[in-house]
Amino acid sequence: MTTELLPREFFDRPVEEVAPALLGQVLAHRTEDGEVLLRLTEVEAYAGPLDPASHAYRGRTDRNAVMFGPPGYSYVYFTYGMHFCVNLVCAEEGTASAVLIRAGEVISGVELAVSRRPRSSARDLARGPARLCQALAIGREQYGLDVCSPGSPLRALAGEPVPAELISTGPRVGVNGAKETPWRFWIEGDPMVSPYRAHVPRKRSKAVTHERA
């Protein structure tokens, strides 16, 4: 089983380079219950203030502050009032670039991951960013962790790099801005890749209008 940490230099480069390079690498999370290791099969790149789809597009906030720091840290956010998603910060400090971890294959700690998602099939255990965080028990407490530190409970480990010819690219899932930017990367043919869903704007209730006479 792999134990070699990815060095900070791995993350200290443009987000569109880091994202495909993360495929085949391993994300490990250790808790009091044990450790789960995940082989990454699908990711998305977000380029900070230069990217309309990024949480950092409008600048720094308390929520996204870790994105503006050095590379190799975790950015965890809560979405839809019920789910957590985990990103890995990359590129030089101040750029606010990050890679969303969308899907993976649990390669160690399967029983523990299943106990957290008992109704899930083996294929769907970490197939999607919210399911992935449930399987690895990633939540608010994992915000801002150094994934390049051997003492960190959340770590990025070296796996088996995926050959370029097996990596596919396409639009990111469910984004409103920069819809066509092909910064979703996945391992072609891997059953653990999540299904693609385009952004669907939420319908707003029609307000009652009053016309003046």
Short mmCIF file of all heavy atoms in Angstrom, two decimals, residues 145-202:
data_model
loop_
_atom_site.label_atom_id
_atom_site.label_comp_id
_atom_site.label_asym_id
_atom_site.label_seq_id
_atom_site.Cartn_x
_atom_site.Cartn_y
_atom_site.Cartn_z
N LEU A 145 -6.55 21.63 6.06
CA LEU A 145 -5.52 20.68 6.46
C LEU A 145 -4.40 20.63 5.40
O LEU A 145 -4.65 20.79 4.21
CB LEU A 145 -6.11 19.29 6.65
CG LEU A 145 -7.12 19.14 7.80
CD1 LEU A 145 -7.61 17.70 7.88
CD2 LEU A 145 -6.49 19.56 9.13
N ASP A 146 -3.19 20.39 5.86
CA ASP A 146 -2.03 20.29 4.99
C ASP A 146 -1.92 18.86 4.47
O ASP A 146 -1.50 17.96 5.20
CB ASP A 146 -0.77 20.68 5.76
CG ASP A 146 0.49 20.69 4.91
OD1 ASP A 146 0.43 20.28 3.73
OD2 ASP A 146 1.54 21.12 5.42
N VAL A 147 -2.28 18.61 3.23
CA VAL A 147 -2.30 17.25 2.70
C VAL A 147 -0.90 16.77 2.33
O VAL A 147 -0.73 15.61 1.93
CB VAL A 147 -3.24 17.13 1.48
CG1 VAL A 147 -4.66 17.53 1.85
CG2 VAL A 147 -2.74 17.96 0.29
N CYS A 148 0.10 17.63 2.46
CA CYS A 148 1.48 17.25 2.17
C CYS A 148 2.28 16.95 3.43
O CYS A 148 3.49 16.69 3.37
CB CYS A 148 2.18 18.36 1.38
SG CYS A 148 1.42 18.75 -0.20
N SER A 149 1.62 17.00 4.59
CA SER A 149 2.29 16.77 5.87
C SER A 149 2.07 15.34 6.34
O SER A 149 0.92 14.86 6.35
CB SER A 149 1.76 17.73 6.93
OG SER A 149 2.22 17.37 8.22
N PRO A 150 3.12 14.63 6.76
CA PRO A 150 2.95 13.25 7.22
C PRO A 150 2.10 13.14 8.48
O PRO A 150 1.51 12.10 8.75
CB PRO A 150 4.39 12.78 7.49
CG PRO A 150 5.17 14.04 7.69
CD PRO A 150 4.53 15.05 6.80
N GLY A 151 1.99 14.21 9.27
CA GLY A 151 1.20 14.18 10.49
C GLY A 151 -0.25 14.56 10.30
O GLY A 151 -1.04 14.50 11.25
N SER A 152 -0.63 14.94 9.09
CA SER A 152 -2.00 15.37 8.83
C SER A 152 -2.93 14.17 8.70
O SER A 152 -2.56 13.15 8.10
CB SER A 152 -2.06 16.20 7.54
OG SER A 152 -3.39 16.52 7.22
N PRO A 153 -4.15 14.25 9.23
CA PRO A 153 -5.09 13.15 9.04
C PRO A 153 -5.57 13.01 7.60
O PRO A 153 -5.98 11.93 7.17
CB PRO A 153 -6.25 13.51 9.98
CG PRO A 153 -6.15 14.98 10.17
CD PRO A 153 -4.69 15.31 10.10
N LEU A 154 -5.52 14.11 6.84
CA LEU A 154 -5.90 14.08 5.43
C LEU A 154 -4.65 14.29 4.60
O LEU A 154 -3.99 15.33 4.70
CB LEU A 154 -6.92 15.19 5.14
CG LEU A 154 -7.52 15.23 3.73
CD1 LEU A 154 -8.37 13.99 3.47
CD2 LEU A 154 -8.36 16.49 3.55
N ARG A 155 -4.31 13.28 3.77
CA ARG A 155 -3.04 13.34 3.05
C ARG A 155 -3.22 12.93 1.59
O ARG A 155 -4.07 12.10 1.27
CB ARG A 155 -2.01 12.41 3.71
CG ARG A 155 -1.80 12.71 5.17
CD ARG A 155 -0.83 11.76 5.86
NE ARG A 155 -1.00 10.36 5.54
CZ ARG A 155 -2.00 9.60 6.00
NH1 ARG A 155 -2.93 10.11 6.78
NH2 ARG A 155 -2.07 8.33 5.69
N ALA A 156 -2.39 13.52 0.73
CA ALA A 156 -2.35 13.15 -0.68
C ALA A 156 -1.13 12.26 -0.89
O ALA A 156 0.00 12.67 -0.62
CB ALA A 156 -2.25 14.40 -1.56
N LEU A 157 -1.37 11.05 -1.36
CA LEU A 157 -0.31 10.06 -1.51
C LEU A 157 -0.07 9.73 -2.98
O LEU A 157 -0.96 9.86 -3.83
CB LEU A 157 -0.69 8.78 -0.77
CG LEU A 157 -1.07 8.92 0.71
CD1 LEU A 157 -1.47 7.56 1.28
CD2 LEU A 157 0.07 9.53 1.51
N ALA A 158 1.15 9.31 -3.26
CA ALA A 158 1.52 8.94 -4.63
C ALA A 158 0.88 7.61 -5.00
O ALA A 158 0.95 6.64 -4.25
CB ALA A 158 3.03 8.84 -4.75
N GLY A 159 0.22 7.58 -6.14
CA GLY A 159 -0.37 6.36 -6.66
C GLY A 159 0.28 5.98 -7.97
O GLY A 159 1.48 6.18 -8.16
N GLU A 160 -0.52 5.46 -8.89
CA GLU A 160 -0.03 5.11 -10.22
C GLU A 160 -0.53 6.14 -11.23
O GLU A 160 -1.74 6.24 -11.46
CB GLU A 160 -0.53 3.71 -10.62
CG GLU A 160 0.05 2.59 -9.79
CD GLU A 160 1.55 2.40 -10.04
OE1 GLU A 160 2.01 2.77 -11.14
OE2 GLU A 160 2.24 1.92 -9.13
N PRO A 161 0.37 6.95 -11.81
CA PRO A 161 -0.07 7.94 -12.79
C PRO A 161 -0.82 7.29 -13.95
O PRO A 161 -0.52 6.15 -14.36
CB PRO A 161 1.25 8.56 -13.27
CG PRO A 161 2.21 8.31 -12.15
CD PRO A 161 1.83 6.98 -11.58
N VAL A 162 -1.81 8.00 -14.46
CA VAL A 162 -2.64 7.48 -15.56
C VAL A 162 -2.05 7.96 -16.89
O VAL A 162 -1.79 9.16 -17.05
CB VAL A 162 -4.09 7.98 -15.41
CG1 VAL A 162 -4.94 7.50 -16.58
CG2 VAL A 162 -4.68 7.47 -14.08
N PRO A 163 -1.85 7.07 -17.85
CA PRO A 163 -1.34 7.48 -19.17
C PRO A 163 -2.25 8.53 -19.80
O PRO A 163 -3.48 8.47 -19.67
CB PRO A 163 -1.35 6.18 -19.98
CG PRO A 163 -1.27 5.10 -18.95
CD PRO A 163 -2.04 5.60 -17.77
N ALA A 164 -1.64 9.48 -20.49
CA ALA A 164 -2.40 10.60 -21.08
C ALA A 164 -3.50 10.11 -22.01
O ALA A 164 -4.57 10.73 -22.09
CB ALA A 164 -1.45 11.53 -21.82
N GLU A 165 -3.26 9.01 -22.72
CA GLU A 165 -4.26 8.54 -23.68
C GLU A 165 -5.51 7.98 -23.01
O GLU A 165 -6.55 7.79 -23.66
CB GLU A 165 -3.66 7.48 -24.60
CG GLU A 165 -3.14 6.23 -23.92
CD GLU A 165 -1.68 6.34 -23.53
OE1 GLU A 165 -1.16 7.47 -23.44
OE2 GLU A 165 -1.06 5.27 -23.36
N LEU A 166 -5.46 7.77 -21.70
CA LEU A 166 -6.62 7.26 -20.97
C LEU A 166 -7.38 8.36 -20.22
O LEU A 166 -8.38 8.09 -19.55
CB LEU A 166 -6.19 6.18 -19.97
CG LEU A 166 -5.58 4.91 -20.54
CD1 LEU A 166 -5.25 3.93 -19.43
CD2 LEU A 166 -6.53 4.27 -21.56
N ILE A 167 -6.90 9.60 -20.35
CA ILE A 167 -7.54 10.72 -19.66
C ILE A 167 -8.43 11.48 -20.63
O ILE A 167 -7.99 11.92 -21.69
CB ILE A 167 -6.49 11.66 -19.07
CG1 ILE A 167 -5.66 10.94 -18.00
CG2 ILE A 167 -7.17 12.90 -18.46
CD1 ILE A 167 -4.55 11.77 -17.41
N SER A 168 -9.70 11.61 -20.25
CA SER A 168 -10.66 12.38 -21.05
C SER A 168 -10.93 13.72 -20.39
O SER A 168 -10.77 13.88 -19.18
CB SER A 168 -11.97 11.60 -21.19
OG SER A 168 -11.79 10.44 -21.97
N THR A 169 -11.36 14.69 -21.19
CA THR A 169 -11.68 16.02 -20.67
C THR A 169 -13.03 16.46 -21.21
O THR A 169 -13.47 16.02 -22.28
CB THR A 169 -10.62 17.06 -21.07
OG1 THR A 169 -10.65 17.23 -22.49
CG2 THR A 169 -9.24 16.61 -20.65
N GLY A 170 -13.67 17.36 -20.46
CA GLY A 170 -14.95 17.88 -20.89
C GLY A 170 -15.41 18.99 -19.96
O GLY A 170 -14.69 19.36 -19.03
N PRO A 171 -16.61 19.53 -20.20
CA PRO A 171 -17.12 20.60 -19.35
C PRO A 171 -17.31 20.13 -17.91
O PRO A 171 -17.55 18.95 -17.65
CB PRO A 171 -18.48 20.95 -19.99
CG PRO A 171 -18.39 20.43 -21.38
CD PRO A 171 -17.53 19.21 -21.30
N ARG A 172 -17.21 21.07 -16.98
CA ARG A 172 -17.40 20.75 -15.57
C ARG A 172 -18.88 20.52 -15.27
O ARG A 172 -19.76 20.98 -16.01
CB ARG A 172 -16.81 21.86 -14.71
CG ARG A 172 -15.30 21.93 -14.81
CD ARG A 172 -14.72 23.18 -14.20
NE ARG A 172 -15.07 24.38 -14.94
CZ ARG A 172 -14.57 25.58 -14.69
NH1 ARG A 172 -13.69 25.74 -13.72
NH2 ARG A 172 -14.92 26.63 -15.42
N VAL A 173 -19.14 19.82 -14.19
CA VAL A 173 -20.50 19.40 -13.87
C VAL A 173 -21.25 20.48 -13.10
O VAL A 173 -20.76 21.00 -12.08
CB VAL A 173 -20.48 18.11 -13.02
CG1 VAL A 173 -21.91 17.71 -12.60
CG2 VAL A 173 -19.82 16.98 -13.79
N GLY A 174 -22.44 20.83 -13.58
CA GLY A 174 -23.34 21.69 -12.84
C GLY A 174 -22.91 23.12 -12.60
O GLY A 174 -23.42 23.77 -11.70
N VAL A 175 -21.96 23.64 -13.39
CA VAL A 175 -21.50 25.02 -13.17
C VAL A 175 -22.32 25.99 -14.02
O VAL A 175 -22.80 25.64 -15.10
CB VAL A 175 -20.00 25.19 -13.48
CG1 VAL A 175 -19.17 24.30 -12.57
CG2 VAL A 175 -19.69 24.90 -14.94
N ASN A 176 -22.44 27.21 -13.54
CA ASN A 176 -23.19 28.23 -14.25
C ASN A 176 -22.26 29.08 -15.11
O ASN A 176 -22.55 29.38 -16.26
CB ASN A 176 -23.95 29.12 -13.26
CG ASN A 176 -24.93 30.03 -13.97
OD1 ASN A 176 -25.32 29.80 -15.11
ND2 ASN A 176 -25.34 31.09 -13.29
N GLY A 177 -21.10 29.48 -14.55
CA GLY A 177 -20.15 30.28 -15.30
C GLY A 177 -19.14 29.42 -16.04
O GLY A 177 -18.82 28.32 -15.59
N ALA A 178 -18.65 29.91 -17.16
CA ALA A 178 -17.65 29.18 -17.96
C ALA A 178 -18.07 27.74 -18.20
O ALA A 178 -17.31 26.79 -17.98
CB ALA A 178 -16.29 29.25 -17.27
N LYS A 179 -19.28 27.58 -18.69
CA LYS A 179 -19.88 26.25 -18.83
C LYS A 179 -19.10 25.31 -19.75
O LYS A 179 -19.09 24.10 -19.54
CB LYS A 179 -21.31 26.38 -19.35
CG LYS A 179 -22.25 27.11 -18.42
CD LYS A 179 -23.64 27.22 -19.04
CE LYS A 179 -24.58 28.00 -18.15
NZ LYS A 179 -25.93 28.13 -18.75
N GLU A 180 -18.48 25.88 -20.78
CA GLU A 180 -17.84 25.02 -21.78
C GLU A 180 -16.36 24.78 -21.53
O GLU A 180 -15.71 24.05 -22.29
CB GLU A 180 -18.03 25.63 -23.17
CG GLU A 180 -19.49 25.84 -23.57
CD GLU A 180 -20.30 24.56 -23.46
OE1 GLU A 180 -19.77 23.49 -23.86
OE2 GLU A 180 -21.44 24.62 -22.99
N THR A 181 -15.80 25.39 -20.50
CA THR A 181 -14.38 25.18 -20.22
C THR A 181 -14.12 23.70 -19.92
O THR A 181 -14.72 23.15 -18.99
CB THR A 181 -13.94 26.03 -19.01
OG1 THR A 181 -14.21 27.41 -19.29
CG2 THR A 181 -12.44 25.86 -18.75
N PRO A 182 -13.26 23.04 -20.68
CA PRO A 182 -13.08 21.58 -20.55
C PRO A 182 -12.12 21.20 -19.42
O PRO A 182 -11.08 20.58 -19.64
CB PRO A 182 -12.53 21.17 -21.92
CG PRO A 182 -11.73 22.36 -22.34
CD PRO A 182 -12.47 23.57 -21.81
N TRP A 183 -12.47 21.56 -18.19
CA TRP A 183 -11.59 21.32 -17.06
C TRP A 183 -12.10 20.23 -16.13
O TRP A 183 -11.71 20.19 -14.97
CB TRP A 183 -11.36 22.62 -16.30
CG TRP A 183 -10.30 23.46 -16.94
CD1 TRP A 183 -9.57 23.18 -18.06
CD2 TRP A 183 -9.82 24.73 -16.48
NE1 TRP A 183 -8.68 24.17 -18.34
CE2 TRP A 183 -8.80 25.15 -17.38
CE3 TRP A 183 -10.15 25.55 -15.41
CZ2 TRP A 183 -8.13 26.36 -17.23
CZ3 TRP A 183 -9.47 26.75 -15.25
CH2 TRP A 183 -8.46 27.14 -16.16
N ARG A 184 -12.94 19.39 -16.61
CA ARG A 184 -13.26 18.15 -15.90
C ARG A 184 -12.39 17.06 -16.53
O ARG A 184 -12.33 16.92 -17.75
CB ARG A 184 -14.74 17.80 -16.05
CG ARG A 184 -15.14 16.43 -15.50
CD ARG A 184 -16.65 16.22 -15.62
NE ARG A 184 -17.02 14.84 -15.35
CZ ARG A 184 -17.51 13.98 -16.24
NH1 ARG A 184 -17.69 14.37 -17.50
NH2 ARG A 184 -17.80 12.75 -15.90
N PHE A 185 -11.69 16.31 -15.69
CA PHE A 185 -10.77 15.27 -16.16
C PHE A 185 -11.16 13.95 -15.50
O PHE A 185 -11.42 13.91 -14.30
CB PHE A 185 -9.33 15.62 -15.78
CG PHE A 185 -8.86 16.93 -16.33
CD1 PHE A 185 -9.07 18.12 -15.62
CD2 PHE A 185 -8.21 17.01 -17.56
CE1 PHE A 185 -8.63 19.34 -16.11
CE2 PHE A 185 -7.77 18.23 -18.06
CZ PHE A 185 -7.98 19.40 -17.34
N TRP A 186 -11.19 12.89 -16.29
CA TRP A 186 -11.54 11.59 -15.74
C TRP A 186 -10.83 10.47 -16.48
O TRP A 186 -10.33 10.66 -17.59
CB TRP A 186 -13.05 11.38 -15.78
CG TRP A 186 -13.66 11.25 -17.15
CD1 TRP A 186 -13.90 10.09 -17.84
CD2 TRP A 186 -14.12 12.30 -18.02
NE1 TRP A 186 -14.49 10.35 -19.06
CE2 TRP A 186 -14.63 11.70 -19.18
CE3 TRP A 186 -14.14 13.70 -17.90
CZ2 TRP A 186 -15.15 12.45 -20.24
CZ3 TRP A 186 -14.66 14.44 -18.95
CH2 TRP A 186 -15.15 13.82 -20.10
N ILE A 187 -10.78 9.31 -15.83
CA ILE A 187 -10.16 8.14 -16.44
C ILE A 187 -11.20 7.47 -17.34
O ILE A 187 -12.23 7.00 -16.86
CB ILE A 187 -9.66 7.15 -15.37
CG1 ILE A 187 -8.65 7.84 -14.45
CG2 ILE A 187 -9.03 5.93 -16.03
CD1 ILE A 187 -8.21 6.98 -13.28
N GLU A 188 -10.93 7.47 -18.61
CA GLU A 188 -11.88 6.94 -19.59
C GLU A 188 -12.19 5.47 -19.30
O GLU A 188 -11.29 4.66 -19.11
CB GLU A 188 -11.31 7.08 -21.00
CG GLU A 188 -12.26 6.65 -22.10
CD GLU A 188 -13.52 7.51 -22.15
OE1 GLU A 188 -13.43 8.72 -21.89
OE2 GLU A 188 -14.59 6.94 -22.47
N GLY A 189 -13.48 5.16 -19.24
CA GLY A 189 -13.92 3.78 -19.04
C GLY A 189 -13.92 3.31 -17.61
O GLY A 189 -14.34 2.17 -17.34
N ASP A 190 -13.49 4.14 -16.68
CA ASP A 190 -13.46 3.72 -15.27
C ASP A 190 -14.88 3.75 -14.72
O ASP A 190 -15.57 4.76 -14.81
CB ASP A 190 -12.56 4.65 -14.45
CG ASP A 190 -12.22 4.07 -13.09
OD1 ASP A 190 -13.15 3.88 -12.28
OD2 ASP A 190 -11.04 3.80 -12.84
N PRO A 191 -15.35 2.65 -14.12
CA PRO A 191 -16.73 2.60 -13.62
C PRO A 191 -16.99 3.52 -12.43
O PRO A 191 -18.16 3.76 -12.09
CB PRO A 191 -16.89 1.13 -13.21
CG PRO A 191 -15.51 0.65 -12.93
CD PRO A 191 -14.64 1.37 -13.90
N MET A 192 -15.94 4.04 -11.80
CA MET A 192 -16.12 4.89 -10.63
C MET A 192 -16.28 6.37 -10.98
O MET A 192 -16.39 7.21 -10.09
CB MET A 192 -14.93 4.74 -9.67
CG MET A 192 -14.66 3.31 -9.24
SD MET A 192 -16.10 2.54 -8.46
CE MET A 192 -15.47 0.88 -8.18
N VAL A 193 -16.30 6.71 -12.26
CA VAL A 193 -16.50 8.09 -12.69
C VAL A 193 -17.98 8.44 -12.60
O VAL A 193 -18.85 7.64 -12.96
CB VAL A 193 -15.99 8.29 -14.13
CG1 VAL A 193 -16.35 9.67 -14.66
CG2 VAL A 193 -14.48 8.09 -14.18
N SER A 194 -18.29 9.64 -12.12
CA SER A 194 -19.68 10.04 -11.93
C SER A 194 -20.31 10.45 -13.26
O SER A 194 -19.61 10.84 -14.20
CB SER A 194 -19.77 11.21 -10.94
OG SER A 194 -19.19 12.37 -11.50
N PRO A 195 -21.65 10.39 -13.35
CA PRO A 195 -22.33 10.80 -14.59
C PRO A 195 -22.29 12.30 -14.77
O PRO A 195 -22.30 13.06 -13.79
CB PRO A 195 -23.77 10.30 -14.38
CG PRO A 195 -23.94 10.26 -12.89
CD PRO A 195 -22.60 9.87 -12.36
N TYR A 196 -22.21 12.75 -16.02
CA TYR A 196 -22.17 14.18 -16.30
C TYR A 196 -23.57 14.78 -16.23
O TYR A 196 -24.52 14.24 -16.78
CB TYR A 196 -21.58 14.44 -17.68
CG TYR A 196 -21.64 15.90 -18.08
CD1 TYR A 196 -20.77 16.83 -17.52
CD2 TYR A 196 -22.59 16.36 -18.98
CE1 TYR A 196 -20.83 18.18 -17.84
CE2 TYR A 196 -22.66 17.70 -19.33
CZ TYR A 196 -21.78 18.60 -18.75
OH TYR A 196 -21.85 19.93 -19.07
N ARG A 197 -23.67 15.91 -15.54
CA ARG A 197 -24.93 16.66 -15.49
C ARG A 197 -24.63 18.13 -15.71
O ARG A 197 -23.84 18.72 -14.99
CB ARG A 197 -25.63 16.48 -14.13
CG ARG A 197 -26.13 15.07 -13.87
CD ARG A 197 -26.93 15.01 -12.58
NE ARG A 197 -27.44 13.67 -12.33
CZ ARG A 197 -26.81 12.75 -11.62
NH1 ARG A 197 -25.62 13.04 -11.10
NH2 ARG A 197 -27.33 11.56 -11.42
N ALA A 198 -25.28 18.71 -16.71
CA ALA A 198 -25.10 20.13 -16.99
C ALA A 198 -25.86 20.96 -15.96
O ALA A 198 -26.76 20.47 -15.28
CB ALA A 198 -25.59 20.46 -18.40
N HIS A 199 -25.49 22.23 -15.84
CA HIS A 199 -26.15 23.12 -14.90
C HIS A 199 -27.58 23.38 -15.35
O HIS A 199 -27.84 23.67 -16.52
CB HIS A 199 -25.40 24.45 -14.81
CG HIS A 199 -26.11 25.47 -13.97
ND1 HIS A 199 -26.18 25.39 -12.60
CD2 HIS A 199 -26.81 26.60 -14.33
CE1 HIS A 199 -26.86 26.42 -12.13
NE2 HIS A 199 -27.25 27.17 -13.15
N VAL A 200 -28.52 23.30 -14.43
CA VAL A 200 -29.92 23.61 -14.69
C VAL A 200 -30.32 24.75 -13.76
O VAL A 200 -30.37 24.56 -12.54
CB VAL A 200 -30.84 22.39 -14.46
CG1 VAL A 200 -32.29 22.78 -14.71
CG2 VAL A 200 -30.43 21.23 -15.35
N PRO A 201 -30.59 25.92 -14.31
CA PRO A 201 -30.96 27.06 -13.45
C PRO A 201 -32.20 26.75 -12.63
O PRO A 201 -33.14 26.12 -13.12
CB PRO A 201 -31.22 28.20 -14.45
CG PRO A 201 -30.49 27.79 -15.69
CD PRO A 201 -30.55 26.29 -15.73
N ARG A 202 -32.20 27.18 -11.38
CA ARG A 202 -33.37 26.98 -10.53
C ARG A 202 -34.48 27.94 -10.94
O ARG A 202 -34.24 29.10 -11.23
CB ARG A 202 -33.01 27.22 -9.06
CG ARG A 202 -32.04 26.19 -8.51
CD ARG A 202 -31.80 26.44 -7.05
NE ARG A 202 -30.87 25.46 -6.50
CZ ARG A 202 -30.51 25.44 -5.21
NH1 ARG A 202 -30.99 26.34 -4.36
NH2 ARG A 202 -29.67 24.52 -4.78
#
